[in-house]
Each structure stands twice: as C-alpha cells, then as structure tokens.
Amino acid sequence: MCTRKRRYRSQGDALDAALLVGVERQRSAYRCPLCGHWHLTGN
Ligand SMILES: [Zn+2]
C-alpha cells in the first residue's frame, strides 16, 4: 500500500525530492491512483 511511501503534492515536489537524494536517474514520479498524490518509483 502507498501509505508507507512518501507522498508529494505534485510531480515537481517528487522530482525535487529525488534530485536532493541523487536518485533522479533511477526514479521517476507517478501519480498514485489510491491517494491522488505523487510517489517516487522504487522504494
Ligand atoms: Zn499513494
């Protein structure tokens, strides 16, 4: 379930977070159909 994942308000927020931790090459953001927020793919 997505409840254990970090949620972002927008795709930009999610990608900014990925950038900060240096994983933007490995991850991308997707809009979650369950909560309507954005998560990063991967863990
Ligand atoms: Zn979600």
Side-chain angles (χ1 to χ4, degrees), residues 2 32 35 39:
C2 75
C32 179
C35 70
H39 301 299

Side-chain angles (χ1 to χ4, degrees):
M1 292 298 291
C2 75
T3 54
R4 296 173 63 183
K5 290 187 174 185
R6 188 141 189 184
R7 294 176 182 175
Y8 302 95
R9 291 169 298 173
S10 70
Q11 184 180 32
D13 282 357
L15 295 179
D16 281 351
L19 194 69
L20 283 175
V21 292
V23 294
E24 76 277 10
R25 289 168 302 175
Q26 303 166 18
R27 296 186 183 181
S28 59
Y30 67 96
R31 189 166 186 203
C32 179
L34 295 176
C35 70
H37 288 243
W38 290 78
H39 301 299
L40 298 174
T41 59
N43 294 320

